[in-house]
Structures are given as structure tokens and as C-alpha cells.
Amino acid sequence: MHTAPRELTRPPAAPPQGLRITPLGGIGEIGRNMTVFEHAGKLLVVDCGVLFPEESQPGIDVILPDFTSLESRLDDIEAIVLTHGHEDHIGGVPYLLKQRPDIPVVGSQLTLAFLSAKLTEHNIKPVLVHVEAGDRHTAGPFALEFIAVNHSIPDGLAVVIRTPAGVVLHTGDFRMDQFPLDGRLTDLRAFGRLGEEGLDLLLVDSTNAEIPGFTISETELTPAIDQVFTTTPGRVIVSSFASHVHRIQQVLDASHARGRKVAFVGRSMVRNMRIARELGYLTVPRGLVIDYAKTRNLPPNKVTLICTGSQGEPMAALARMAGETHEVRISDGDTVLLASSLIPGNESAIYGIINKLTDLGANVVHKGNARVHVSGHASAGELVYCYNILRPRNVMPVHGEPKHLRANGALAERTGVPTDNVLIVRDGVVVDMVDGVARIVGQVENDLVYVDGQTVGHVTEDTLADRRKLSAAGVLTVLAFLRSGTAELAEPLEYLHRGSVHGQDSLDNASRAVEKALADATRNKTTAGDQLEDIIAKTVARSLARSSRREPVVIAVVLDA
């Protein structure tokens, strides 16, 4: 494997006859998938998703790809191609379209429907291009072909990108379920034809590359799900991604078989299931789905609730139920079914919610104690199968953490892809393919872009560091009354605590340290208020770190006595 060096310079100009590939997200992480292709001065974007924050990123809603390298080239973008409708592939589209709303967005029916609902909330009227498996579409110098792939959401597509520089296949997220709930198989015949044609570069899903064998079929979950509905004396509360149509269908079927009415809880869940139902992706027997308010008049064993929050998101319905701040109150006899996998980084939040739900009397069923979820990603056996069918000249594993990328690269090598042609890169690394050979040539700026409420990109790592300090040690405000025009204290320092606890000895030590620092400031003739505030804040922070091993956010306020 050829791994991108840690230090890379900016890339040279793109080769005139070559194809440039720049991943801006989804490599080295699970989320914010986005790859930019460049040929003949034009750009094609494949996916534009979001990454969900970890506990170390308090207050953040989602994390976007870094569009900095595109800002001066927005007019060169021919299209945004979407492989499927999960948030980690479409969630960033509104933020890119805000910079240029008329970029055509190409995708399947369900994907575009989910995106359209999202764009309506952002007051964006998009240019949508509906394609289906088997279709071909031209976007500038890029000739596109779409191949059906099976995933945990209907209408997934792999995309073939043909240019004079070569043929590329981006698999998107996929698996090879041989008994899919919707009957839609990953089209291995199309993969085979592509292999016969000659594939220059394969960008392939890496999420399950460490897992041997084949990912089990969705149909194998039915007995475990039925068992939950058979044995639960109270309500069944199912938490899932709002886009996980296949799993919701299984829950609807089980509820109908046991005579339970179903209510969707949560804005995104209600919206997405309405769309899926209207487009025919969700089969709902007449009278099965009712408003939540009507479930209050039914016996608990006749009720199923379906909500969001399977990843421990603090504002999602399930977390609020666990925290007793939601109108749905957990009771003894309820079963909570977590019908999604754990996204890396969310484990602590999810297990915390499981404990709270259990403490409230619920029986919590999840992937760890029952077969109630199956991954939507191809395991090692499936990946090897695809390598042998496609026979790519170059491979660039995508969609995964570093361990997943390397495991996928090792599989490629074992099937005969030359070591130097297996590229292990990271977000922002630029790859050029010229004459059928792909090589790493540089790196563009690629920071995490934080969405915090209505602000985008304003939160920095320093901001998050302050938030982590606030959560760990609170804030301490120091009031310093100084003689006018001097650095001399007129009165003893006053300390105002907020979430910060310190003994008097620690504060006395801090005061003595400040007196010494102000004496030094006097000798240096430092009297400006902002400079003195900075000196006091840093001195107090250092002193408290030594004496109490706590580092609150310290704010100093200098006032004239």
C-alpha cells in the first residue's frame, strides 16, 4: 500500500489530460462523505454529507466538509451526484448550494425526495436530475453511468465516471445482500461488464473491511424483531435512523401482525416516512399508522412508537425520553429497541441512554444483546468478490477510519492489485490519474467545519477547548479594582464562581501571584486595561492549575477604583 505522507505541499496544476481526485470527507472518519473529481477544468462532486459530533465537540450540531478549495471554482462545478439518501452523504448539500444554488443535483428518486424536503427548510429551490439504475447522464466532460447497489436504504447507486483520462467506479455505501427486503440486488452483472471494459480506479466502501465473510441478510433479523413484539407486555419503542426505510418496514410488519398501532415520533422521522410511503418505498396497511395523541387511549400492548435518537443525539426523541423531558414517558413493561449500529465515537452517549432507559423500567434491546440490526456495508468476503470481478488497476479505499482503509487496501493487494497502486489517503489529499496510473501529488486545506445553530465555520478548535474547560471546571471571573492609570490594586481581588469550585487557600495563592505579576507590570510600565486583564487571567489560571489541578475558564475584569 502507498500511504499518503503526513506532510504534503499544495498540489501542482491539474494535468490537462488527467483526472484529479480530491476527497474532502469520509476518509479517516465515518461521515461527511464528499469527493471532488476534476477533468478539463471542470469539477464533479460525488456526495456531500455531514459528520455527527462526538462528546468532545459540545454544542455542535453537525460537521461539514471544508469547501475552501472550491470557493473560487463554484462556477466550474458541473453537478453534485448523490449515491444514496443517508445524512452522511446528503446532509452537507444545502450548505454547498447556499454558495451556488443552481448546481444540478443528480440522484435517485428517494434520495432526491429526502434532499428536497431538507432544502425546503433552507429555502433553496434546487435543480434536480432524477436518474435510475442503468441510466447514463453527461455532466460537462464527465460521462456518468449508474449501477444499482444494495444498502440499508432503498435506491442506492454506485456511479461510473468516464473521461478521456480513464474509467472510475465509486461504489458509495453498499453490500451484497442476496435476499434484500425490497428485492433490489447489487448489480454484479454490471460490475462484471465494467471489469471486462477495464476499470482504472476503484473508490470502494471500507466500513466493514475488517469483518470476515459476508454481511448477513436483513431477512435474518425478522425472528428477533418478532420476538420483541411477541414478548413485550407494554409499548415497543423503536429508535432508528429517520432514513432507515427497510428497518421501519420490518417494524411495521411486526406491529401489524401483533395488532399494534404505530405512531411516528420526531419531525425528521414523520417527514421521511411520509415521503417513503408516498413514493411507494414503504408499505403501510390501512389504519396501521396513527397520530401519537391517539395512542394514549390504547392499551400499552397495542402500541408501537418509532422515533429517532439511536446514536445518542442529545436533542433527539430517545435521549429526551431517557432524560424525562419528552411527552413520551417510559414505563415499566416498555421495550426500547435500538435498531441501528453504533457509529464510532457515539458509544458513551448511547450506553448512557441505555442505562437511563433501563433505570426507568424499560427493557432495552440492541445489537449487543439480540440480532436486531445488520450492517449496510460489505464485509471482507464481499469486497474480495468485487475486486475479483472488477479487476481494478488502482484502488483508493474510502468511507472508513484508518484501520478500515488499511484493511481494505490489504484485501485489494491479496487479489492482485499492485502494492504501489493501492492508495491510502486522508481527507484533503490530492490524487492525479494520468495514463492509467494514480499517484498522490499534494494536499489542499481541509479542516472540520462546525455548524453551531445558525453559524457555520465560526466555531474553532479553541472555542471547543473553552467549552470543554467550561464543562469540566466551570468559569471563574476575577474582579480587579486598580488605582486609575496604574497597575496597583486598590482593593483585594474578588472571585465570582460559576461551576467552578476552589478552596480559599488556592484563591489566596492566586491573589499573591497576581500581586507579584502586577508589580512586574508596574516596573514595565504596563497600564493598558486589556493587557492587565490578560496578565491577571493567565496568572490566576496558572496558579489554580498548580494548586488545585483544575483549569477553569478565567475571565479578568479590570475596573478603576
Side-chain angles (χ1 to χ4, degrees), residues 318-365:
L318 189 66
R320 289 158 54 210
M321 291 178 200
E324 300 185 90
T325 60
H326 195 278
E327 61 178 331
V328 177
R329 296 292 172 147
I330 302 298
S331 305
D332 286 337
D334 289 343
T335 290
V336 176
L337 172 60
L338 301 181
S340 297
S341 61
L342 305 187
I343 293 178
N346 294 346
E347 295 92 345
S348 294
I350 296 167
Y351 288 127
I353 286 175
I354 289 174
N355 283 325
K356 289 180 180 178
L357 292 168
T358 302
D359 196 43
L360 292 171
N363 173 37
V364 183
V365 179

Side-chain angles (χ1 to χ4, degrees), residues 248-539:
I248 303 306
Q249 184 66 66
Q250 288 176 302
V251 172
L252 292 176
D253 293 343
S255 297
H256 183 57
R258 300 298 169 188
R260 290 175 178 267
K261 297 295 186 180
V262 177
F264 295 117
V265 179
R267 185 168 56 88
S268 60
M269 182 64 75
V270 171
R271 178 194 67 199
N272 283 3
M273 292 309 106
R274 175 185 55 78
I275 292 170
R277 185 177 183 178
E278 290 174 352
L279 295 178
Y281 293 95
L282 201 63
T283 301
V284 184
R286 184 187 298 270
L288 177 64
V289 174
I290 62 175
D291 290 337
Y292 167 68
K294 294 181 180 179
T295 66
R296 295 169 175 165
N297 300 321
L298 296 175
N301 65 348
K302 295 298 180 183
V303 174
T304 298
L305 304 179
I306 304 177
C307 68
T308 55
S310 60
Q311 297 304 309
E313 306 97 307
M315 295 308 294
L318 189 66
R320 289 158 54 210
M321 291 178 200
E324 300 185 90
T325 60
H326 195 278
E327 61 178 331
V328 177
R329 296 292 172 147
I330 302 298
S331 305
D332 286 337
D334 289 343
T335 290
V336 176
L337 172 60
L338 301 181
S340 297
S341 61
L342 305 187
I343 293 178
N346 294 346
E347 295 92 345
S348 294
I350 296 167
Y351 288 127
I353 286 175
I354 289 174
N355 283 325
K356 289 180 180 178
L357 292 168
T358 302
D359 196 43
L360 292 171
N363 173 37
V364 183
V365 179
H366 54 89
K367 186 180 180 182
N369 59 20
R371 182 171 280 188
V372 292
H373 177 71
V374 59
S375 174
H377 304 272
S379 296
E382 294 155 274
L383 293 172
V384 168
Y385 201 95
C386 290
Y387 283 132
N388 287 330
I389 292 174
L390 291 164
R391 294 177 296 186
R393 297 185 181 91
N394 303 273
V395 170
M396 193 169 104
V398 296
H399 198 290
E401 297 178 328
K403 61 181 180 178
H404 305 130
L405 304 176
R406 295 191 69 84
N408 201 353
L411 295 175
E413 289 183 358
R414 290 180 62 190
T415 63
V417 181
T419 297
D420 287 346
N421 292 11
V422 179
L423 306 182
I424 306 299
V425 303
R426 59 186 178 273
D427 294 339
V429 170
V430 179
V431 172
D432 282 348
M433 188 171 71
V434 180
D435 297 329
V437 178
R439 290 292 178 262
I440 295 166
V441 298
Q443 184 168 356
V444 298
E445 184 176 348
N446 195 260
D447 294 326
L448 297 176
V449 178
Y450 299 108
V451 177
D452 183 352
Q454 297 300 311
T455 68
V456 178
H458 294 173
V459 172
T460 66
E461 293 299 331
D462 287 341
T463 308
L464 293 178
D466 282 344
R467 289 181 180 180
R468 289 190 290 269
K469 276 188 177 183
L470 285 167
S471 67
V475 61
L476 181 67
T477 302
V478 185
L479 297 180
F481 292 91
L482 305 181
R483 293 189 175 87
S484 181
T486 74
E488 299 176 12
L489 283 171
E491 301 177 20
L493 295 174
E494 293 184 21
Y495 296 94
L496 305 178
H497 308 255
R498 193 72 173 179
S500 176
V501 179
H502 300 280
Q504 190 58 48
D505 288 345
S506 295
L507 297 179
D508 289 344
N509 290 336
S511 295
R512 285 191 288 271
V514 169
E515 289 173 2
K516 183 177 183 305
L518 291 178
D520 292 339
T522 298
R523 283 192 292 274
N524 295 329
K525 298 183 179 180
T526 301
T527 58
D530 57 343
Q531 291 178 301
L532 294 175
E533 287 175 345
D534 186 56
I535 289 170
I536 293 169
K538 289 181 178 178
T539 301

Side-chain angles (χ1 to χ4, degrees), residues 91-123:
V93 174
Y95 300 92
L96 182 55
L97 291 184
K98 283 179 181 179
Q99 299 192 33
R100 185 191 147 198
D102 65 342
I103 302 174
V105 183
V106 183
S108 61
Q109 184 181 41
L110 184 64
T111 302
L112 294 183
F114 280 174
L115 177 68
S116 295
K118 184 181 297 294
L119 293 175
T120 298
E121 296 178 356
H122 287 265
N123 295 315

